Amino acid sequence: MSQRKYFGTDGIRGRVGDWPINAEFMLRLGHAVGTALAARRGARVSVVIGKDTRVSGYMFESALEAGLVAAGVDVKLLGPMPTPAVAYLTRSMRADAGIVISASHNPHYDNGIKFFSSQGEKLSDAVEAAIEDGLEGAFVTVASEQLGKARRVDDAAARYIEFCKSTVNEDFSLAGMKIVLDCANGATYQVAPKIFAELGARVITIGAEPDGFNINHECGSTSPAALQKAVVEKGADLGIAFDGDGDRVQLVDRHGVLADGDVLLYVLARSWRERGMLRGPVVGTLMSNYGLERALREMGEDLVRANVGDRYVLQQLKDRGGVLGGETSGHILTLDRFTTGDGIVAALAVLEALVMSGEDLTVARAGLSTVPQVMINVRADGAREALDSEHVKQTCGEVEAALAGRGRVVLRASGTEPLVRVTVEGPEEGEVHQLATRLADAVKSAATVTG
């Protein structure tokens, strides 16, 4: 991946209008995708395209469609749909690949492209490499009789709604429960309210009036304050917040207290263990709270830490035979139900656990006590190189010794910026602040020398 020109760890993303996030590139990208897939399959190829609610999505949808059709690929347009819905529909509609036009939790002025294989999983490195090679080649339109055809899939939302409901038991019901949904003015705004209402809940929606520009703006899982306020004001039993493309979720209990991805992993692990459904270790990331690790250990389960990023969590789950993992941000993977992180499916799994136990979220999370966490970003020339200095290593060792058995330390260097993230966790907030500052100062001092 390090030699890729356009693909990052999660597709292609950037600011709209800046290369490569413009119409010209998307036209060429569609053609390159179509050409690469056709060459590998040796037969007629079909691709599905979904998008979130950003105004730029219309432009990129048209450009990708034109490029794919010019390469002889049939295109099925899903319209605004959550990212995991595109993964599901790619597989269920027997398409050769799926494309999502979205920048996830970013503001409206960003956009990006994600890809799924025919199995609803990330494209292989070989296919991504072939696409990049195609971007450097000539744009050749196939003969008129070989051009692809494009059509809108009118029942895409209905198909996905039924899939989401199928991930819980047939007798599962939310009757009598009042739920506030925050759809982040994004891709879940049409499907999520219908799913929870059809399962019996009384649904109140916020962040469900997208205008092309308000996606993720002071709403959704990245800005849950509006949901917390609404849950309390409406006297709701629960609140659920998705991000702009619907692959992340965070919950709010009836008191307005936020439940992030660490809390959701704990609630699910506890329930699944009691029901004999938990296989393998629970997989978190380097940023998962130490309190989660401690709570899982107390119930006899292991927490394996992957690098930050859902693709790394997924790989660890596959390697270790696990079914449950995720990130603090709310990207939860339930591999007994689907191949990728799905905010709606994860929320339903948590609600199913609560209904089966007869507990509300406040009670279900009581066994998890998170510890104070402080993260300081050190931005300076030479910051990344500073991690190799003896002064930083010695200081880090001293901080780790001070927290031995009570907390942990994480130093993460950015792969693209002169930036180091210093994270310290421990039982006492004042101590954690002091130790994090001490370690950050050591990095700054060493960066001054190496920079």
Side-chain angles (χ1 to χ4, degrees):
M1 293 297 298
S2 61
Q3 297 179 351
R4 300 292 166 80
K5 185 175 181 181
Y6 300 110
F7 281 90
T9 57
D10 194 24
I12 304 169
R13 186 180 297 183
R15 193 173 183 110
V16 175
D18 292 346
W19 187 266
I21 310 301
N22 62 26
E24 177 188 356
F25 178 83
M26 295 303 165
L27 176 67
R28 296 190 62 83
L29 178 63
H31 183 269
V33 169
T35 301
L37 292 175
R40 294 180 70 84
R41 186 170 183 213
R44 191 78 170 186
V45 173
S46 69
V47 172
V48 300
I49 301 178
K51 60 186 179 182
D52 64 24
T53 56
R54 294 162 213 271
V55 66
S56 59
Y58 294 93
M59 173 174 64
F60 296 142
E61 179 187 58
S62 296
L64 287 165
E65 175 191 342
L68 286 161
V69 168
V73 174
D74 292 330
V75 179
K76 299 173 183 177
L77 301 170
L78 306 178
M81 292 292 287
T83 290
V86 178
Y88 165 73
L89 291 166
T90 299
R91 188 171 67 174
S92 71
M93 297 180 73
R94 307 296 194 269
D96 295 284
I99 299 176
V100 183
I101 306 167
S102 175
S104 189
H105 54 280
N106 287 26
H108 73 87
Y109 48 73
D110 290 334
N111 216 331
I113 307 294
K114 299 180 184 180
F115 296 93
F116 290 109
S117 72
S118 60
Q119 297 303 307
E121 300 179 346
K122 183 182 179 295
L123 289 183
S124 69
D125 288 347
V127 174
E128 288 187 355
I131 292 171
E132 290 224 340
D133 288 343
L135 284 165
E136 304 302 322
F139 192 108
V140 179
T141 301
V142 299
S144 181
E145 62 272 15
Q146 296 175 330
L147 289 172
K149 296 180 180 179
R151 68 177 180 89
R152 296 237 167 233
V153 182
D154 295 330
D155 64 345
R159 291 175 183 235
Y160 177 61
I161 287 170
E162 290 306 309
F163 161 71
C164 288
K165 292 192 297 183
S166 75
T167 63
V168 291
N169 291 327
E170 288 186 5
D171 59 352
F172 172 71
S173 173
L174 295 172
M177 184 175 289
K178 184 193 294 187
I179 298 175
V180 181
L181 296 181
D182 184 346
C183 298
N185 291 312
T188 61
Y189 83 101
Q190 297 181 94
V191 294
K194 292 179 181 178
I195 291 167
F196 290 90
E198 289 181 14
L199 289 170
R202 178 183 171 191
V203 176
I204 301 168
T205 58
I206 62 175
E209 297 181 354
D211 61 10
F213 305 97
N214 58 3
I215 186 170
N216 299 313
H217 181 64
E218 297 181 352
C219 59
S221 62
T222 54
S223 300
L227 177 63
Q228 292 173 286
K229 180 180 179 182
V231 167
V232 175
E233 289 183 347
K234 301 294 184 181
D237 299 292
L238 196 76
I240 303 173
F242 304 106
D243 69 337
D245 75 329
D247 61 2
R248 296 187 185 190
V249 64
Q250 302 208 35
L251 270 61
V252 172
D253 70 17
R254 57 190 171 89
H255 303 293
V257 179
L258 186 68
D260 63 15
D262 290 342
V263 176
L264 303 186
L265 285 178
Y266 171 77
V267 171
L268 287 172
R270 177 172 169 261
S271 174
W272 289 10
R273 186 176 191 275
E274 292 174 353
R275 293 152 60 191
M277 296 169 54
L278 190 61
R279 303 193 305 273
V282 176
V283 177
T285 73
L286 295 174
M287 303 311 297
S288 298
N289 194 277
Y290 179 71
L292 174 62
E293 180 179 341
R294 184 175 57 193
L296 290 173
R297 188 188 311 128
E298 290 172 355
M299 72 168 73
E301 299 294 338
D302 294 325
L303 176 71
V304 172
R305 294 183 183 273
N307 289 330
V308 175
D310 63 284
R311 65 177 296 180
Y312 301 113
V313 175
L314 177 61
Q315 189 60 53
Q316 286 284 354
L317 286 171
K318 288 183 174 181
D319 291 347
R320 298 171 181 269
V323 292
L324 178 62
E327 301 183 272
T328 307
S329 63
H331 201 132
I332 307 298
L333 289 95
T334 53
L335 296 191
D336 62 332
R337 296 159 199 239
F338 196 43
T339 59
T340 189
D342 187 317
I344 294 175
V345 170
L348 289 174
V350 173
L351 288 171
E352 184 180 41
L354 297 178
V355 169
M356 294 191 72
S357 68
E359 299 173 334
D360 66 7
L361 183 56
T362 304
V363 174
R365 68 182 293 173
L368 172 64
S369 178
T370 56
V371 303
Q373 182 186 87
V374 173
M375 185 173 73
I376 300 175
N377 290 331
V378 180
R379 186 184 297 273
D381 290 338
R384 285 181 287 173
E385 293 77 9
L387 296 185
D388 294 325
S389 78
E390 290 302 320
H391 176 50
V392 171
K393 291 179 180 179
Q394 180 179 342
T395 305
C396 185
E398 292 170 354
V399 172
E400 288 176 331
L403 291 170
R406 302 184 302 128
R408 66 190 189 99
V409 179
V410 180
L411 289 176
R412 291 177 56 228
S414 169
T416 59
E417 303 176 88
L419 177 72
V420 169
R421 293 180 173 88
V422 177
T423 304
V424 178
E425 293 178 333
E428 300 294 335
E429 189 168 356
E431 180 188 24
V432 169
H433 272 283
Q434 181 183 17
L435 293 173
T437 301
R438 177 183 170 191
L439 186 51
D441 287 344
V443 174
K444 291 177 187 176
S445 175
T448 301
V449 175
T450 58

